[in-house]
Amino acid sequence: MQTIHQSFIASVEANPGKALFERPGQPDITYAEARVLVERFAAVLTGAGVQPGDRVAVQTDKSAEAICLYLATLQVGGVYLPLNTAYTGAEIDYFLGDAAPRVFVCTPATLTEHKARESDGMRVESLGGKGEGSLMDLAAAATPRKDSVARGMDDPAAILYTSGTTGRSKGAVLTHGNLASNTAALLESWRYTGDDRLIHALPIFHTHGLFVAANMSIVTGATMIWLTKFDGDEVVGLMANATVLMGVPTFYTRLLKSDRLGRDTTAGMRLFVSGSAPLLAEDHRAFEERTGHAILERYGMTETCMITTNPYDGARKPGAVGMALPGIEIRVTERETGRPLPQGEIGAIEVRGPNVFQGYWQMPEKTASEFRKDGFFITGDLGQIGEDGYLRIVGRDKDLVISGGYNVYPKEVESLIDDIPGVVESAVIGLAHPDLGEGVTAIVVPQKGASLDERAVIAAITDKLARYKQPKRVLFVEELPRNVMGKVQKAELRKSYADLYR
Ligand code: ATP
Ligand code: MG
């Protein structure tokens, strides 16, 4: 097995003049050009004192240069640490304090603010911009560094912070072996090759945009059509000259709003992937009807890279995330004991394989508590494996509602509510309740102009659900709070309505 950086060099040598990045409105960047920039960045990082194992933290806008900086970090044996561009002030202080990077790379607009954080142990530079503190200027003046620092498959390559959906973000330490093996498993499963042309519109501080989409392209010598924002009409326009789209569910919701989406405009595409949050079954069906393409949904997380995928050949089922990737084992267990459950029962999803991270950065106790003795990692998600062998996710164990002593899986209630005419989508949460412990509560987004009220929603599902699962209250909102990856922020909802039953 080769590291991602070694595979990148092989891609450069095989296709020096081919575009790695095609940027609408800007010049392409070829594999050979990217290599020169990577080697210049490698020289700058070494000059800044980056030693093997040192963290290089990066909080920049999405750019091809940021990918080159990632590859340069791997070349010098550093540990790449991308940060969500939404983080500011106290959050940045927390991440920098926690990760103690040798170098922190920011945007030109935030350079002055972050320079105040510079210390003997940490250099602060901006990626773009001109003049003092500009990494691009330093790179232009540097002599490219050709050699790379040898790293083993068990050495850390990156620290990626989790999205913070269920609490404070944790730094997941991923090794070269984690990244390389997961990339290989995905290439095989999705038949991805150097001939593919990927529409890349995802952010690159998250596992999806960086360790799925970008790594798969870099190691095969494929071309990425590089977008810094997602515009439905623009993306449909690009499909004539592309083969694959990797997206989050909100991309598909937006594509369905584009009049240009149809069989003709998607005829050249061979694969549409969705992940990072549940794809609405309704969008899955509508997309297939409009385009003839069944979206392939996959499941994974920061700590494990990707775990399961719907099949490339064979049925891609709405509401299911498919089977384990090659080389990866999954099982469903009783959360408290880890006892494997019979097929069909709902329990904790656990995973074991070369994709599973080394541990949480500087959290040995937290790490130990999330692994079973036999090496399975407890994902924190609940699911069931059906008779068809497909995994279905029913929610997160932290979102489980316990009402009157009974377990209520929000997804089950949400699916029924979502099927009511006039409902766009819903989120079911548990709120502190004086008699029940937690009261099942539905937050519903109605279609514009739909005449729905609390009683109508409850009446529509009352015959289909045991009484203890039925919402005690139904509230209507215009939209659900989501982060950039399209994940519904249930913690925010629980906070907003904390006093509903008190
Ligand atoms: P934190 O761990 O900090 O609370 P997070 O779990 O949202 O945040 P990520 O690692 O970015 O951080 O997200 C992984 C989670 O996203 C998975 O555990 C799962 O809950 C959800 N997820 C990913 N893909 C899918 C999918 N296809 N369907 C449903 N949920 C998904
Ligand atoms: Mg998580």
Side-chain angles (χ1 to χ4, degrees), residues 162 166 170 301 303 379 396:
T162 60
T166 58
K170 301 146 288 198
M301 57 198 344
E303 293 92 329
T379 60
R396 297 172 181 257

Side-chain angles (χ1 to χ4, degrees), residues 37-56:
L37 187 55
V38 170
E39 291 174 349
R40 288 181 184 277
F41 279 147
V44 174
L45 293 177
T46 310
V50 173
Q51 298 288 322
D54 280 351
R55 274 78 56 209
V56 174

Side-chain angles (χ1 to χ4, degrees), residues 56-258:
V56 174
V58 178
Q59 187 195 33
T60 63
D61 298 326
K62 181 179 178 181
S63 68
E65 289 78 10
I67 294 291
C68 293
L69 186 57
Y70 154 61
L71 292 166
T73 303
L74 300 185
Q75 184 185 335
V76 302
V79 177
Y80 189 70
L81 194 153
L83 292 170
N84 188 327
T85 44
Y87 295 140
T88 57
E91 289 163 316
I92 287 295
D93 282 333
Y94 164 73
F95 289 112
L96 296 181
D98 188 48
R102 174 74 55 199
V103 178
F104 173 41
V105 181
C106 60
T107 61
T110 56
L111 182 63
T112 313
E113 177 202 337
H114 292 315
K115 268 287 177 193
R117 297 183 157 94
E118 197 164 58
S119 67
D120 285 348
M122 183 181 81
R123 273 267 291 272
V124 176
E125 311 281 356
S126 76
L127 184 57
K130 288 251 169 286
E132 212 198 333
S134 160
L135 212 63
M136 287 304 287
D137 278 5
L138 291 171
T143 310
R145 177 178 172 167
K146 294 279 172 201
D147 67 315
S148 49
V149 174
R151 296 257 88 186
M153 285 295 157
D154 291 334
D155 288 323
I159 297 177
L160 213 58
Y161 282 88
T162 60
S163 297
T165 309
T166 58
R168 179 158 247 185
S169 297
K170 301 146 288 198
V173 181
L174 294 156
T175 64
H176 289 276
N178 294 149
L179 303 185
S181 69
N182 207 238
T183 305
L186 290 167
L187 295 179
E188 182 187 331
S189 299
W190 298 347
R191 314 264 172 85
Y192 198 88
T193 71
D195 293 333
D196 274 309
R197 294 174 49 80
L198 172 76
I199 299 176
H200 192 304
L202 295 160
I204 52 170
F205 52 72
H206 187 264
T207 185
H208 194 170
L210 188 62
F211 297 148
V212 179
N215 278 353
M216 288 173 72
S217 305
I218 290 165
V219 310
T220 50
T223 295
M224 294 190 271
I225 302 165
W226 194 249
L227 304 177
T228 50
K229 59 170 183 23
F230 188 91
D231 176 275
D233 286 338
E234 183 190 11
V235 169
V236 176
L238 292 166
M239 287 178 191
N241 204 8
T243 60
V244 178
L245 173 71
M246 295 185 194
V248 291
T250 43
F251 283 12
Y252 292 100
T253 310
R254 280 188 245 165
L255 282 174
L256 283 164
K257 291 192 179 129
S258 168

